[in-house]
Amino acid sequence: MENKHTNHNENKHNKNNNSRFGFSTASLILGILGFFLGYLTLGIPLSLLGLIFGIVGIVKKQGGLAIGGTVISCIGILLSLFFIIFFNGDPYYFINQLITKKIF
């Protein structure tokens, strides 16, 4: 009987431990997506969500994943803003400028 009680507590502890990194993992995934989709305007909302989840993860002391997600999300936001400011939010702006000016 005592062994069943111990297993129940271990399972409960493992369940809480596995769900502990939810915000950090979400921050890292959204930060990476925002970084790679930074040349589209889609990168900004993904990176903003990643930044928010990363800050929540840092506050909840979820470790390095939260810090990594926050950093990558900030880079994704900066990259998206760079493309919006310099390329008018069009991922093919540079290619279109090369074609229309007949640089080739």
Side-chain angles (χ1 to χ4, degrees), residues 11 15 18 22 24 32 45-46 53 59-60 95 101:
N11 290 336
K15 183 179 178 184
N18 290 339
S24 329
I32 290 171
L46 291 175
F53 287 151
V59 168
K60 290 188 172 196
I95 296 170
K101 292 184 179 181

Side-chain angles (χ1 to χ4, degrees), residues 92-104:
Y92 302 108
Y93 178 79
F94 183 70
I95 296 170
N96 290 336
Q97 289 297 316
L98 288 176
I99 293 171
T100 57
K101 292 184 179 181
K102 308 219 188 293
I103 295 175
F104 291 126

Side-chain angles (χ1 to χ4, degrees), residues 5-70:
H5 183 65
T6 305
N7 288 339
H8 177 68
N9 286 337
E10 287 177 8
N11 290 336
K12 185 178 179 183
H13 178 69
N14 288 339
K15 183 179 178 184
N16 289 337
N17 195 19
N18 290 339
S19 64
R20 184 177 145 215
F21 296 106
F23 285 110
S24 329
T25 306
S27 170
L28 190 63
I29 291 171
L30 289 170
I32 290 171
L33 285 174
F35 177 78
F36 284 114
L37 295 176
Y39 66 93
L40 299 172
T41 54
L42 183 63
I44 288 182
L46 291 175
S47 294
L48 280 175
L49 281 174
L51 181 65
I52 292 168
F53 287 151
I55 291 171
V56 170
I58 290 171
V59 168
K60 290 188 172 196
K61 304 201 185 319
Q62 293 183 352
L65 284 177
I67 295 170
T70 303

